[in-house]
Amino acid sequence: MTPSTATEMRYAGIDLHPLSDHVGAEIRGVDIAGGIDETLFTSLRRALADFGVVFFREQKLTPEQHLAFARRWGRINVNRFFQPVDGYPQIAEVRKTPDQAKNVGADWHTDHSYDKVPAMGSILYARETPTSGGDTLFASMYTAYESLPAALQRRIAGLRAVHSSRHVFGPAAVRGDEFAGRIGNATLAVQDATHPLVIRHPDSGRSALYVNPDFTVAVEGLPAQQSNALLQELYASAARPEHTCRFEWKRHSIAIWDNRATWHRALNDYPGELRLMHRITLEGVPLEAAAQRS
Ligand SMILES: O=C(O)CCC(=O)C(=O)O
Ligand SMILES: [Fe+2]
């Protein structure tokens, strides 16, 4: 069997265009609102498992159709901090208006890693995009792990890290009024959780790095200085361009990503313009440590 035949069988019914070697693929020829049969959905699941994030373009969706698509993937998780869309408590609004300077998700992160059972992923839909800019970057946490020197892989095997929402969404977070109306419920930012630094991905079984600059606050059991130095080393390595892809949104583009396999970061390079996204988040499962190599 030629590789292309194998690829065609693995992704039956979809036209897949990778954005980079390791992460991100655009899927063409799928009409989400028109309905997705089981064969097609199996191919989409495989594409997401293989690429960590997949993108579709020109999908005209009502909030109900966005919700129906999300329910195909799993149970919906309601984020407590994001402003919901009017009339749709399960859909979070990710908005930046022309007068606002800061955007949401500007630094590399994995959503909800502060939860004991972190969200599986999100489905982000572009309702309004700026004339240019506002791309989102994604990084593969599989290659972030696999590319680490063996000695560093051994060093982090078995370690756990503390993740928190307090310093980002809590009352003490220095936000001024900049995020008023966009981020709220500061008093609910009480979640801390610990997770392995290297997880066994619950679906693929592959080892993935699971720390991120926004929400990881410390490596358990290490003095602060060592913990910070280790995290900074891992972040610098993970964010290397060869682990990333970049998606240029157009109105009605939609992405689904897996938080256990990727990081993401939203670029803020469209001053004076509106960008409005709708996000539905999916429930995940508890995360286990990757098996340690002997
Ligand atoms: O606006 C984006 O591209 C992503 C923002 C973000 O971090 C999120 O929705 O989780
Ligand atoms: Fe995010």
Side-chain angles (χ1 to χ4, degrees):
M1 193 188 295
T2 63
S4 65
T5 314
T7 305
E8 274 167 30
M9 287 176 65
R10 181 156 179 78
Y11 306 120
I14 64 177
D15 182 15
L16 187 106
H17 297 259
L19 267 72
S20 73
D21 281 351
H22 304 294
V23 61
E26 188 174 320
I27 292 173
R28 300 189 192 144
V30 170
D31 173 17
I32 294 175
I36 294 174
D37 66 22
E38 274 313 309
T39 309
L40 194 57
F41 196 67
T42 300
S43 296
L44 295 184
R45 270 201 190 282
R46 285 183 181 151
L48 181 63
D50 294 347
F51 291 91
V53 53
V54 295
F55 309 97
F56 308 81
R57 294 194 180 277
E58 293 176 21
Q59 305 292 326
K60 250 186 133 182
L61 300 179
T62 62
E64 283 82 4
Q65 287 167 329
H66 188 185
L67 282 162
F69 182 54
R71 288 192 189 103
R72 290 295 293 272
W73 294 89
R75 282 191 303 129
I76 292 170
N77 170 303
V78 178
N79 182 289
R80 344 174 211 342
F81 307 118
F82 284 68
Q83 170 77 29
V85 170
D86 249 0
Y88 296 95
Q90 292 175 308
I91 307 181
E93 199 174 79
V94 179
R95 179 195 290 270
K96 181 173 175 262
T97 53
D99 55 307
Q100 290 168 332
K102 291 192 180 164
N103 68 335
V104 168
D107 299 319
W108 282 118
H109 65 281
T110 301
D111 297 333
H112 290 222
S113 70
Y114 47 78
D115 282 338
K116 290 197 165 44
V117 180
M120 172 267 164
S122 276
I123 305 183
L124 190 67
Y125 182 55
R127 295 223 160 262
E128 301 292 341
T129 50
T131 46
S132 70
D135 296 356
T136 306
L137 308 182
F138 292 85
S140 167
M141 290 304 108
Y142 291 136
T143 59
Y145 174 70
E146 287 158 11
S147 66
L148 294 175
L152 187 49
Q153 288 183 342
R154 277 195 298 274
R155 195 174 147 213
I156 61 177
L159 292 179
R160 297 179 69 85
V162 183
H163 300 245
S164 181
S165 61
R166 297 166 201 261
H167 62 292
V168 180
F169 298 117
V174 187
R175 298 196 158 272
D177 282 338
E178 179 56 36
F179 284 95
R182 293 193 280 173
I183 302 285
N185 287 334
T187 53
L188 298 184
V190 290
Q191 298 80 17
D192 288 341
T194 71
H195 304 291
L197 260 72
V198 186
I199 57 165
R200 178 186 184 279
H201 190 283
D203 303 327
S204 71
R206 291 174 69 187
S207 297
L209 188 66
Y210 196 76
V211 285
N212 69 87
D214 259 4
F215 299 119
T216 308
V217 290
V219 178
E220 252 185 0
L222 290 189
Q225 213 180 350
Q226 271 183 42
S227 163
N228 288 339
L230 176 57
L231 289 173
Q232 291 310 321
E233 184 178 357
L234 295 172
Y235 297 158
S237 177
R240 290 212 313 265
E242 56 269 37
H243 302 309
T244 71
C245 73
R246 176 172 181 151
F247 184 66
E248 184 187 341
W249 296 92
K250 300 276 181 234
R251 195 168 183 217
H252 301 154
S253 301
I254 184 164
I256 169 162
W257 67 77
D258 181 330
N259 281 319
R260 294 85 46 98
T262 56
W263 277 353
H264 58 277
R265 120 172 232 218
L267 299 186
N268 186 13
D269 54 354
Y270 51 98
E273 294 203 62
L274 172 69
R275 182 175 181 273
L276 174 62
M277 318 291 276
H278 280 188
R279 189 181 103 171
I280 301 178
T281 296
L282 300 166
E283 291 283 7
V285 296
L287 298 175
E288 289 170 16
Q292 289 183 38
R293 293 195 203 151
S294 49

